[in-house]
Amino acid sequence: MTIEVNGKSIETTDSGFLVNPLDWNEDVAQALAEIEGIELSERHWDVINYLRDEYLNNNQNQPMERALLKDIGKKWGSKPSSKEVYQLFPLAPTKQGTKIAGLPEVQRKGGY
């Protein structure tokens, strides 16, 4: 599959993740979010930037939900509930958020 962003064709996997994470930028994130039916807010960007930072600067870490909630809570001033973060990313913040963040698909199964 491919998506068009600013006149450039960006290749994605069958599940919509970028084939080349280096193709990512904020415009690509906006396009991926639109495909997912999500309008990005400041809180969405907080999660996206957190996921990118963890992956790019922490040995390709793809945090589980519990770690995401704890770390995002530090930024937001209080730990959000799972429900709050699922309102941002209804198909799982660590999976749908990872897709919009331009990172590889999470391969782990279930669990926290």
Side-chain angles (χ1 to χ4, degrees):
M1 297 174 48
T2 61
I3 60 171
E4 291 289 325
V5 180
N6 298 331
K8 182 179 177 187
S9 293
I10 310 271
E11 191 175 353
T12 64
T13 65
D14 289 339
S15 52
F17 287 79
L18 296 184
V19 170
N20 181 358
L22 297 177
D23 286 335
W24 188 89
N25 61 42
E26 289 188 2
D27 291 334
V28 171
Q30 291 282 3
L32 293 169
E34 187 176 310
I35 291 167
E36 296 290 311
I38 294 174
E39 185 176 331
L40 296 177
S41 68
E42 184 177 333
R43 288 202 162 196
H44 287 96
W45 284 110
D46 288 343
V47 173
I48 290 166
N49 289 326
Y50 165 76
L51 291 169
R52 288 188 59 77
D53 183 60
E54 280 295 303
Y55 186 83
L56 298 172
N57 299 316
N58 193 10
N59 199 30
Q60 299 184 344
N61 181 40
Q62 293 183 304
M64 291 189 233
E65 185 177 326
R66 188 180 315 188
L68 181 143
L69 294 174
K70 179 180 173 189
D71 292 341
I72 285 295
K74 293 174 187 172
K75 178 157 184 70
W76 291 353
S78 65
K79 183 179 171 186
S81 67
S82 289
K83 182 178 180 180
E84 290 175 278
V85 181
Y86 271 85
Q87 288 172 336
L88 298 173
F89 300 99
L91 299 180
T94 57
K95 294 183 180 181
Q96 195 172 32
T98 295
K99 180 186 291 186
I100 296 169
L103 301 171
E105 188 167 5
V106 176
Q107 298 299 318
R108 69 176 171 274
K109 296 181 181 180
Y112 257 66

